[in-house]
Amino acid sequence: MQKIQMTTPLVEMDGDEMTRIIWKMIKDNLLSPYIDLKTEYYDLGLKKRDETDDQITIDAAEATKKYGVAVKCATITPNAARVEEYHLKKMYKSPNGTIRALLDGTVFRAPILIKGIEPYVRSWKKPITMARHAYGDVYKNSEIRVPGAGTAEIIFTAEDGTVTRKTIHKFTGPGIIQGIHNTDKSIEGFARSCFEYALSVKQDLWFSCKDTISKTYDTHFKEIFQKLYDEEYKEKFEAVGTTYFYTLIDDAVARVMRSEGGFVWALKNYDGDVMSDMMASSFGSLALMTSILVSPAGYFEYEAAHGTVQRHYYKYLKGEKTSTNSVATIFAWTGALRKRGELDGNQALQDFADKLDEATLETIESGKMTGDLALITTIPEVQKLGTEEFIFAIRETLDKKMNA
Ligand code: NAP
Ligand code: MG
């Protein structure tokens, strides 16, 4: 069999611990045998980040701007314990934070649905993808503990000296106040990423906030989304048969619970924080959640939503048997390969990504899975496989498909 050729390289960001082990297994067993894999490799493993004073992370983000599509392994975000463990020069920032800041992107979290791993909400038949705005609001607030009676005001001083002020509250006793903000630039970037992503997966986009109560602040979010949709995206959405709509957050929550899924749900920073943890757990397993960073300029970076699975890695180092789930990492690769294929008009690469996805799901549906899924599946006869055994089982299913 001739290997599938690639015209443009993928930006490949390697990572840490157990996911780094899985990364290599996936490449060796599921990708390289079929694809003449072309990647520009960046080692974001902690050792290399330390050696390069984290320049490698910046280079990887810049490469993503150059090529448009990246795939990333989970990485350690150092804390004090990691600084000691790896003898780091300093406590580096989260690589995801650094990359997100450079690409100005929004993170989309999408669950992988598998027959036999059932969502807790029975009506959900298709994935619901969450998009959380990652700037401002209560996460960049200014707060005061009010000691006693007095007047709280909100004041804006323009560069030309013009002052706008409003009374927040006339306190007759102690209380609290909080000031929050956002910027048109950030909201527009968020909205654009959401439209780009929804278009790329050909799904409807929902946006919800509380404009009935927050008549200036939340209403402004709603207006920015609507304007961008009307001016730049409406026709593109209609061309693929999808739509955008706004609905009040409480209505959206009720609708989501009754829905079949199959759409992208965009939320403000706090709403997204709270709802995304609920959605992730209601779909079954963290190891079945993918994460995609989309920049307003249309750059895509794919990864698993989980971390480096440190506990399993220490078992692995001791030579003990592990059963780490590689599904989200495999889907990060297939997501990136499919996107690369779309951009390059490379149908063979897109077909391969589809086949590898199917092979992964079919392997699990046939009862072969890792320990985390064996615990929650409704499939009666289950074979619990080790980390590598599971990847070999997928390889077997994939081989049959490729030779069919
Ligand atoms: P984690 O790696 O997500 O793992 C937490 C626990 O969840 C694991 O111990 C395991 O439970 C279960 N789990 C997660 N992924 C799994 C998988 N693929 N297969 C089977 N079980 C899985 O979180 P963590 O241990 O708190 O964090 C480890 C490191 O990851 C940290 O240094 C953190 O900075 C980093 N991190 C990176 C990213 C990223 O790069 N995107 C995201 C989050 C965290 P059991 O132990 O019960 O089996
Ligand atoms: Mg949270």
PDB file of all heavy atoms in Angstrom, residues 19-48:
ATOM      1  N   THR A  19       1.038  11.333  28.501  1.00  0.00           N
ATOM      2  CA  THR A  19       0.542  11.709  27.171  1.00  0.00           C
ATOM      3  C   THR A  19       1.687  11.761  26.151  1.00  0.00           C
ATOM      4  O   THR A  19       1.468  11.548  24.966  1.00  0.00           O
ATOM      5  CB  THR A  19      -0.223  13.051  27.206  1.00  0.00           C
ATOM      6  OG1 THR A  19       0.439  13.947  28.087  1.00  0.00           O
ATOM      7  CG2 THR A  19      -1.652  12.849  27.671  1.00  0.00           C
ATOM      8  N   ARG A  20       2.907  12.016  26.631  1.00  0.00           N
ATOM      9  CA  ARG A  20       4.065  11.984  25.728  1.00  0.00           C
ATOM     10  C   ARG A  20       4.345  10.543  25.270  1.00  0.00           C
ATOM     11  O   ARG A  20       4.697  10.302  24.115  1.00  0.00           O
ATOM     12  CB  ARG A  20       5.292  12.565  26.431  1.00  0.00           C
ATOM     13  CG  ARG A  20       6.495  12.758  25.518  1.00  0.00           C
ATOM     14  CD  ARG A  20       7.675  13.320  26.304  1.00  0.00           C
ATOM     15  NE  ARG A  20       8.850  13.505  25.466  1.00  0.00           N
ATOM     16  CZ  ARG A  20       9.208  14.654  24.911  1.00  0.00           C
ATOM     17  NH1 ARG A  20       8.490  15.736  25.102  1.00  0.00           N
ATOM     18  NH2 ARG A  20      10.290  14.747  24.163  1.00  0.00           N
ATOM     19  N   ILE A  21       4.150   9.600  26.189  1.00  0.00           N
ATOM     20  CA  ILE A  21       4.318   8.186  25.849  1.00  0.00           C
ATOM     21  C   ILE A  21       3.271   7.778  24.805  1.00  0.00           C
ATOM     22  O   ILE A  21       3.574   7.159  23.782  1.00  0.00           O
ATOM     23  CB  ILE A  21       4.149   7.305  27.125  1.00  0.00           C
ATOM     24  CG1 ILE A  21       5.080   7.768  28.255  1.00  0.00           C
ATOM     25  CG2 ILE A  21       4.318   5.824  26.800  1.00  0.00           C
ATOM     26  CD1 ILE A  21       6.551   7.604  27.987  1.00  0.00           C
ATOM     27  N   ILE A  22       2.034   8.166  25.076  1.00  0.00           N
ATOM     28  CA  ILE A  22       0.924   7.848  24.161  1.00  0.00           C
ATOM     29  C   ILE A  22       1.146   8.479  22.783  1.00  0.00           C
ATOM     30  O   ILE A  22       0.860   7.891  21.748  1.00  0.00           O
ATOM     31  CB  ILE A  22      -0.409   8.369  24.764  1.00  0.00           C
ATOM     32  CG1 ILE A  22      -0.831   7.497  25.943  1.00  0.00           C
ATOM     33  CG2 ILE A  22      -1.502   8.428  23.730  1.00  0.00           C
ATOM     34  CD1 ILE A  22      -2.076   8.013  26.623  1.00  0.00           C
ATOM     35  N   TRP A  23       1.652   9.695  22.822  1.00  0.00           N
ATOM     36  CA  TRP A  23       1.902  10.469  21.589  1.00  0.00           C
ATOM     37  C   TRP A  23       2.730   9.656  20.608  1.00  0.00           C
ATOM     38  O   TRP A  23       2.405   9.512  19.431  1.00  0.00           O
ATOM     39  CB  TRP A  23       2.641  11.753  21.985  1.00  0.00           C
ATOM     40  CG  TRP A  23       2.715  12.824  20.951  1.00  0.00           C
ATOM     41  CD1 TRP A  23       3.785  13.117  20.152  1.00  0.00           C
ATOM     42  CD2 TRP A  23       1.696  13.779  20.626  1.00  0.00           C
ATOM     43  NE1 TRP A  23       3.494  14.198  19.349  1.00  0.00           N
ATOM     44  CE2 TRP A  23       2.227  14.616  19.627  1.00  0.00           C
ATOM     45  CE3 TRP A  23       0.395  14.007  21.085  1.00  0.00           C
ATOM     46  CZ2 TRP A  23       1.491  15.670  19.071  1.00  0.00           C
ATOM     47  CZ3 TRP A  23      -0.332  15.053  20.535  1.00  0.00           C
ATOM     48  CH2 TRP A  23       0.215  15.864  19.541  1.00  0.00           C
ATOM     49  N   LYS A  24       3.826   9.103  21.120  1.00  0.00           N
ATOM     50  CA  LYS A  24       4.734   8.340  20.274  1.00  0.00           C
ATOM     51  C   LYS A  24       4.067   7.039  19.803  1.00  0.00           C
ATOM     52  O   LYS A  24       4.201   6.660  18.642  1.00  0.00           O
ATOM     53  CB  LYS A  24       6.031   8.044  21.032  1.00  0.00           C
ATOM     54  CG  LYS A  24       7.084   7.397  20.153  1.00  0.00           C
ATOM     55  CD  LYS A  24       8.441   7.372  20.813  1.00  0.00           C
ATOM     56  CE  LYS A  24       9.528   6.778  19.916  1.00  0.00           C
ATOM     57  NZ  LYS A  24       9.144   5.640  19.097  1.00  0.00           N
ATOM     58  N   MET A  25       3.329   6.396  20.694  1.00  0.00           N
ATOM     59  CA  MET A  25       2.637   5.153  20.321  1.00  0.00           C
ATOM     60  C   MET A  25       1.656   5.409  19.185  1.00  0.00           C
ATOM     61  O   MET A  25       1.519   4.594  18.273  1.00  0.00           O
ATOM     62  CB  MET A  25       1.863   4.588  21.515  1.00  0.00           C
ATOM     63  CG  MET A  25       2.711   3.989  22.615  1.00  0.00           C
ATOM     64  SD  MET A  25       1.594   3.420  23.939  1.00  0.00           S
ATOM     65  CE  MET A  25       2.800   2.920  25.170  1.00  0.00           C
ATOM     66  N   ILE A  26       0.947   6.522  19.268  1.00  0.00           N
ATOM     67  CA  ILE A  26      -0.039   6.853  18.232  1.00  0.00           C
ATOM     68  C   ILE A  26       0.667   7.081  16.900  1.00  0.00           C
ATOM     69  O   ILE A  26       0.266   6.549  15.861  1.00  0.00           O
ATOM     70  CB  ILE A  26      -0.868   8.107  18.633  1.00  0.00           C
ATOM     71  CG1 ILE A  26      -1.753   7.802  19.834  1.00  0.00           C
ATOM     72  CG2 ILE A  26      -1.699   8.609  17.455  1.00  0.00           C
ATOM     73  CD1 ILE A  26      -2.458   9.025  20.415  1.00  0.00           C
ATOM     74  N   LYS A  27       1.748   7.844  16.941  1.00  0.00           N
ATOM     75  CA  LYS A  27       2.478   8.127  15.694  1.00  0.00           C
ATOM     76  C   LYS A  27       3.030   6.840  15.083  1.00  0.00           C
ATOM     77  O   LYS A  27       2.878   6.596  13.890  1.00  0.00           O
ATOM     78  CB  LYS A  27       3.625   9.101  15.973  1.00  0.00           C
ATOM     79  CG  LYS A  27       3.160  10.532  16.151  1.00  0.00           C
ATOM     80  CD  LYS A  27       4.317  11.460  16.468  1.00  0.00           C
ATOM     81  CE  LYS A  27       5.261  11.607  15.290  1.00  0.00           C
ATOM     82  NZ  LYS A  27       6.371  12.549  15.598  1.00  0.00           N
ATOM     83  N   ASP A  28       3.663   6.021  15.925  1.00  0.00           N
ATOM     84  CA  ASP A  28       4.320   4.811  15.418  1.00  0.00           C
ATOM     85  C   ASP A  28       3.323   3.779  14.901  1.00  0.00           C
ATOM     86  O   ASP A  28       3.590   3.106  13.911  1.00  0.00           O
ATOM     87  CB  ASP A  28       5.167   4.163  16.522  1.00  0.00           C
ATOM     88  CG  ASP A  28       6.396   5.007  16.849  1.00  0.00           C
ATOM     89  OD1 ASP A  28       6.668   5.965  16.089  1.00  0.00           O
ATOM     90  OD2 ASP A  28       7.056   4.729  17.866  1.00  0.00           O
ATOM     91  N   ASN A  29       2.188   3.656  15.591  1.00  0.00           N
ATOM     92  CA  ASN A  29       1.267   2.557  15.262  1.00  0.00           C
ATOM     93  C   ASN A  29       0.082   2.947  14.401  1.00  0.00           C
ATOM     94  O   ASN A  29      -0.425   2.131  13.639  1.00  0.00           O
ATOM     95  CB  ASN A  29       0.740   1.919  16.547  1.00  0.00           C
ATOM     96  CG  ASN A  29       1.840   1.240  17.326  1.00  0.00           C
ATOM     97  OD1 ASN A  29       2.324   0.189  16.931  1.00  0.00           O
ATOM     98  ND2 ASN A  29       2.274   1.866  18.407  1.00  0.00           N
ATOM     99  N   LEU A  30      -0.394   4.185  14.562  1.00  0.00           N
ATOM    100  CA  LEU A  30      -1.641   4.538  13.881  1.00  0.00           C
ATOM    101  C   LEU A  30      -1.449   5.547  12.750  1.00  0.00           C
ATOM    102  O   LEU A  30      -2.328   5.676  11.900  1.00  0.00           O
ATOM    103  CB  LEU A  30      -2.658   5.087  14.887  1.00  0.00           C
ATOM    104  CG  LEU A  30      -3.021   4.144  16.049  1.00  0.00           C
ATOM    105  CD1 LEU A  30      -3.973   4.835  17.012  1.00  0.00           C
ATOM    106  CD2 LEU A  30      -3.647   2.853  15.519  1.00  0.00           C
ATOM    107  N   LEU A  31      -0.342   6.260  12.739  1.00  0.00           N
ATOM    108  CA  LEU A  31      -0.183   7.294  11.714  1.00  0.00           C
ATOM    109  C   LEU A  31       0.908   6.947  10.699  1.00  0.00           C
ATOM    110  O   LEU A  31       0.638   6.808   9.511  1.00  0.00           O
ATOM    111  CB  LEU A  31       0.108   8.658  12.369  1.00  0.00           C
ATOM    112  CG  LEU A  31      -0.917   9.134  13.397  1.00  0.00           C
ATOM    113  CD1 LEU A  31      -0.447  10.411  14.075  1.00  0.00           C
ATOM    114  CD2 LEU A  31      -2.270   9.367  12.741  1.00  0.00           C
ATOM    115  N   SER A  32       2.127   6.791  11.179  1.00  0.00           N
ATOM    116  CA  SER A  32       3.262   6.573  10.260  1.00  0.00           C
ATOM    117  C   SER A  32       3.118   5.375   9.325  1.00  0.00           C
ATOM    118  O   SER A  32       3.611   5.439   8.194  1.00  0.00           O
ATOM    119  CB  SER A  32       4.562   6.467  11.050  1.00  0.00           C
ATOM    120  OG  SER A  32       4.769   7.655  11.756  1.00  0.00           O
ATOM    121  N   PRO A  33       2.472   4.278   9.725  1.00  0.00           N
ATOM    122  CA  PRO A  33       2.322   3.178   8.769  1.00  0.00           C
ATOM    123  C   PRO A  33       1.474   3.544   7.549  1.00  0.00           C
ATOM    124  O   PRO A  33       1.562   2.875   6.521  1.00  0.00           O
ATOM    125  CB  PRO A  33       1.617   2.084   9.584  1.00  0.00           C
ATOM    126  CG  PRO A  33       1.892   2.413  11.002  1.00  0.00           C
ATOM    127  CD  PRO A  33       1.975   3.905  11.068  1.00  0.00           C
ATOM    128  N   TYR A  34       0.648   4.588   7.659  1.00  0.00           N
ATOM    129  CA  TYR A  34      -0.288   4.905   6.577  1.00  0.00           C
ATOM    130  C   TYR A  34       0.002   6.247   5.889  1.00  0.00           C
ATOM    131  O   TYR A  34      -0.386   6.455   4.756  1.00  0.00           O
ATOM    132  CB  TYR A  34      -1.729   4.965   7.123  1.00  0.00           C
ATOM    133  CG  TYR A  34      -2.103   3.745   7.925  1.00  0.00           C
ATOM    134  CD1 TYR A  34      -2.014   3.741   9.312  1.00  0.00           C
ATOM    135  CD2 TYR A  34      -2.526   2.581   7.284  1.00  0.00           C
ATOM    136  CE1 TYR A  34      -2.342   2.614  10.051  1.00  0.00           C
ATOM    137  CE2 TYR A  34      -2.859   1.452   8.008  1.00  0.00           C
ATOM    138  CZ  TYR A  34      -2.761   1.471   9.395  1.00  0.00           C
ATOM    139  OH  TYR A  34      -3.075   0.360  10.111  1.00  0.00           O
ATOM    140  N   ILE A  35       0.619   7.161   6.652  1.00  0.00           N
ATOM    141  CA  ILE A  35       0.821   8.506   6.116  1.00  0.00           C
ATOM    142  C   ILE A  35       2.315   8.806   6.059  1.00  0.00           C
ATOM    143  O   ILE A  35       3.056   8.479   6.983  1.00  0.00           O
ATOM    144  CB  ILE A  35       0.188   9.579   7.029  1.00  0.00           C
ATOM    145  CG1 ILE A  35      -1.278   9.264   7.302  1.00  0.00           C
ATOM    146  CG2 ILE A  35       0.295  10.961   6.422  1.00  0.00           C
ATOM    147  CD1 ILE A  35      -1.896  10.212   8.316  1.00  0.00           C
ATOM    148  N   ASP A  36       2.732   9.450   5.014  1.00  0.00           N
ATOM    149  CA  ASP A  36       4.074   9.991   4.965  1.00  0.00           C
ATOM    150  C   ASP A  36       4.008  11.299   5.767  1.00  0.00           C
ATOM    151  O   ASP A  36       3.842  12.378   5.212  1.00  0.00           O
ATOM    152  CB  ASP A  36       4.443  10.259   3.495  1.00  0.00           C
ATOM    153  CG  ASP A  36       5.933  10.233   3.305  1.00  0.00           C
ATOM    154  OD1 ASP A  36       6.652  10.149   4.315  1.00  0.00           O
ATOM    155  OD2 ASP A  36       6.371  10.295   2.138  1.00  0.00           O
ATOM    156  N   LEU A  37       4.081  11.128   7.085  1.00  0.00           N
ATOM    157  CA  LEU A  37       3.740  12.210   8.004  1.00  0.00           C
ATOM    158  C   LEU A  37       4.707  13.385   7.886  1.00  0.00           C
ATOM    159  O   LEU A  37       5.917  13.228   8.053  1.00  0.00           O
ATOM    160  CB  LEU A  37       3.769  11.654   9.434  1.00  0.00           C
ATOM    161  CG  LEU A  37       2.940  12.367  10.479  1.00  0.00           C
ATOM    162  CD1 LEU A  37       1.471  12.425  10.100  1.00  0.00           C
ATOM    163  CD2 LEU A  37       3.104  11.656  11.830  1.00  0.00           C
ATOM    164  N   LYS A  38       4.145  14.540   7.578  1.00  0.00           N
ATOM    165  CA  LYS A  38       4.966  15.738   7.457  1.00  0.00           C
ATOM    166  C   LYS A  38       4.608  16.664   8.614  1.00  0.00           C
ATOM    167  O   LYS A  38       3.489  17.174   8.660  1.00  0.00           O
ATOM    168  CB  LYS A  38       4.585  16.412   6.137  1.00  0.00           C
ATOM    169  CG  LYS A  38       5.741  16.988   5.370  1.00  0.00           C
ATOM    170  CD  LYS A  38       5.225  17.699   4.134  1.00  0.00           C
ATOM    171  CE  LYS A  38       6.315  17.671   3.083  1.00  0.00           C
ATOM    172  NZ  LYS A  38       5.875  18.191   1.803  1.00  0.00           N
ATOM    173  N   THR A  39       5.541  16.848   9.554  1.00  0.00           N
ATOM    174  CA  THR A  39       5.244  17.774  10.643  1.00  0.00           C
ATOM    175  C   THR A  39       6.433  18.680  10.880  1.00  0.00           C
ATOM    176  O   THR A  39       7.568  18.336  10.563  1.00  0.00           O
ATOM    177  CB  THR A  39       4.937  17.055  11.978  1.00  0.00           C
ATOM    178  OG1 THR A  39       6.146  16.526  12.519  1.00  0.00           O
ATOM    179  CG2 THR A  39       3.901  15.956  11.825  1.00  0.00           C
ATOM    180  N   GLU A  40       6.152  19.851  11.437  1.00  0.00           N
ATOM    181  CA  GLU A  40       7.229  20.678  11.961  1.00  0.00           C
ATOM    182  C   GLU A  40       7.171  20.482  13.469  1.00  0.00           C
ATOM    183  O   GLU A  40       6.184  20.850  14.105  1.00  0.00           O
ATOM    184  CB  GLU A  40       7.025  22.139  11.547  1.00  0.00           C
ATOM    185  CG  GLU A  40       8.290  22.949  11.738  1.00  0.00           C
ATOM    186  CD  GLU A  40       8.252  24.269  10.966  1.00  0.00           C
ATOM    187  OE1 GLU A  40       8.254  24.242   9.704  1.00  0.00           O
ATOM    188  OE2 GLU A  40       8.208  25.306  11.626  1.00  0.00           O
ATOM    189  N   TYR A  41       8.196  19.841  14.013  1.00  0.00           N
ATOM    190  CA  TYR A  41       8.164  19.339  15.380  1.00  0.00           C
ATOM    191  C   TYR A  41       8.660  20.364  16.392  1.00  0.00           C
ATOM    192  O   TYR A  41       9.746  20.925  16.247  1.00  0.00           O
ATOM    193  CB  TYR A  41       9.020  18.080  15.453  1.00  0.00           C
ATOM    194  CG  TYR A  41       9.080  17.431  16.821  1.00  0.00           C
ATOM    195  CD1 TYR A  41       8.099  16.534  17.239  1.00  0.00           C
ATOM    196  CD2 TYR A  41      10.135  17.715  17.693  1.00  0.00           C
ATOM    197  CE1 TYR A  41       8.162  15.928  18.487  1.00  0.00           C
ATOM    198  CE2 TYR A  41      10.205  17.112  18.947  1.00  0.00           C
ATOM    199  CZ  TYR A  41       9.222  16.229  19.335  1.00  0.00           C
ATOM    200  OH  TYR A  41       9.287  15.624  20.560  1.00  0.00           O
ATOM    201  N   TYR A  42       7.855  20.609  17.422  1.00  0.00           N
ATOM    202  CA  TYR A  42       8.253  21.458  18.549  1.00  0.00           C
ATOM    203  C   TYR A  42       8.088  20.657  19.827  1.00  0.00           C
ATOM    204  O   TYR A  42       7.000  20.170  20.106  1.00  0.00           O
ATOM    205  CB  TYR A  42       7.399  22.731  18.609  1.00  0.00           C
ATOM    206  CG  TYR A  42       7.666  23.638  17.441  1.00  0.00           C
ATOM    207  CD1 TYR A  42       6.975  23.485  16.246  1.00  0.00           C
ATOM    208  CD2 TYR A  42       8.653  24.615  17.523  1.00  0.00           C
ATOM    209  CE1 TYR A  42       7.258  24.285  15.149  1.00  0.00           C
ATOM    210  CE2 TYR A  42       8.943  25.419  16.421  1.00  0.00           C
ATOM    211  CZ  TYR A  42       8.240  25.252  15.244  1.00  0.00           C
ATOM    212  OH  TYR A  42       8.527  26.033  14.167  1.00  0.00           O
ATOM    213  N   ASP A  43       9.167  20.537  20.567  1.00  0.00           N
ATOM    214  CA  ASP A  43       9.118  19.765  21.797  1.00  0.00           C
ATOM    215  C   ASP A  43       8.746  20.693  22.965  1.00  0.00           C
ATOM    216  O   ASP A  43       9.578  21.429  23.470  1.00  0.00           O
ATOM    217  CB  ASP A  43      10.486  19.113  22.046  1.00  0.00           C
ATOM    218  CG  ASP A  43      10.462  18.223  23.275  1.00  0.00           C
ATOM    219  OD1 ASP A  43       9.389  18.127  23.915  1.00  0.00           O
ATOM    220  OD2 ASP A  43      11.507  17.628  23.594  1.00  0.00           O
ATOM    221  N   LEU A  44       7.471  20.640  23.364  1.00  0.00           N
ATOM    222  CA  LEU A  44       7.032  21.480  24.486  1.00  0.00           C
ATOM    223  C   LEU A  44       7.149  20.740  25.817  1.00  0.00           C
ATOM    224  O   LEU A  44       6.591  21.165  26.825  1.00  0.00           O
ATOM    225  CB  LEU A  44       5.596  21.977  24.286  1.00  0.00           C
ATOM    226  CG  LEU A  44       5.280  22.824  23.055  1.00  0.00           C
ATOM    227  CD1 LEU A  44       3.984  23.594  23.253  1.00  0.00           C
ATOM    228  CD2 LEU A  44       6.379  23.798  22.699  1.00  0.00           C
ATOM    229  N   GLY A  45       7.831  19.610  25.807  1.00  0.00           N
ATOM    230  CA  GLY A  45       8.131  18.924  27.061  1.00  0.00           C
ATOM    231  C   GLY A  45       8.851  19.893  27.995  1.00  0.00           C
ATOM    232  O   GLY A  45       9.594  20.771  27.541  1.00  0.00           O
ATOM    233  N   LEU A  46       8.633  19.723  29.288  1.00  0.00           N
ATOM    234  CA  LEU A  46       9.108  20.703  30.260  1.00  0.00           C
ATOM    235  C   LEU A  46      10.620  20.926  30.189  1.00  0.00           C
ATOM    236  O   LEU A  46      11.111  22.040  30.358  1.00  0.00           O
ATOM    237  CB  LEU A  46       8.690  20.249  31.666  1.00  0.00           C
ATOM    238  CG  LEU A  46       8.693  21.295  32.771  1.00  0.00           C
ATOM    239  CD1 LEU A  46       8.076  22.607  32.330  1.00  0.00           C
ATOM    240  CD2 LEU A  46       7.924  20.759  33.976  1.00  0.00           C
ATOM    241  N   LYS A  47      11.369  19.856  29.914  1.00  0.00           N
ATOM    242  CA  LYS A  47      12.826  19.955  29.868  1.00  0.00           C
ATOM    243  C   LYS A  47      13.247  20.938  28.777  1.00  0.00           C
ATOM    244  O   LYS A  47      14.079  21.818  28.993  1.00  0.00           O
ATOM    245  CB  LYS A  47      13.399  18.561  29.587  1.00  0.00           C
ATOM    246  CG  LYS A  47      14.881  18.448  29.700  1.00  0.00           C
ATOM    247  CD  LYS A  47      15.293  16.965  29.768  1.00  0.00           C
ATOM    248  CE  LYS A  47      16.782  16.798  29.531  1.00  0.00           C
ATOM    249  NZ  LYS A  47      17.145  16.875  28.103  1.00  0.00           N
ATOM    250  N   LYS A  48      12.645  20.784  27.619  1.00  0.00           N
ATOM    251  CA  LYS A  48      12.992  21.642  26.482  1.00  0.00           C
ATOM    252  C   LYS A  48      12.526  23.085  26.725  1.00  0.00           C
ATOM    253  O   LYS A  48      13.209  24.040  26.361  1.00  0.00           O
ATOM    254  CB  LYS A  48      12.339  21.084  25.209  1.00  0.00           C
ATOM    255  CG  LYS A  48      12.813  21.740  23.948  1.00  0.00           C
ATOM    256  CD  LYS A  48      14.188  21.249  23.564  1.00  0.00           C
ATOM    257  CE  LYS A  48      14.700  21.926  22.303  1.00  0.00           C
ATOM    258  NZ  LYS A  48      16.042  21.393  21.954  1.00  0.00           N
TER     259      LYS A  48
END
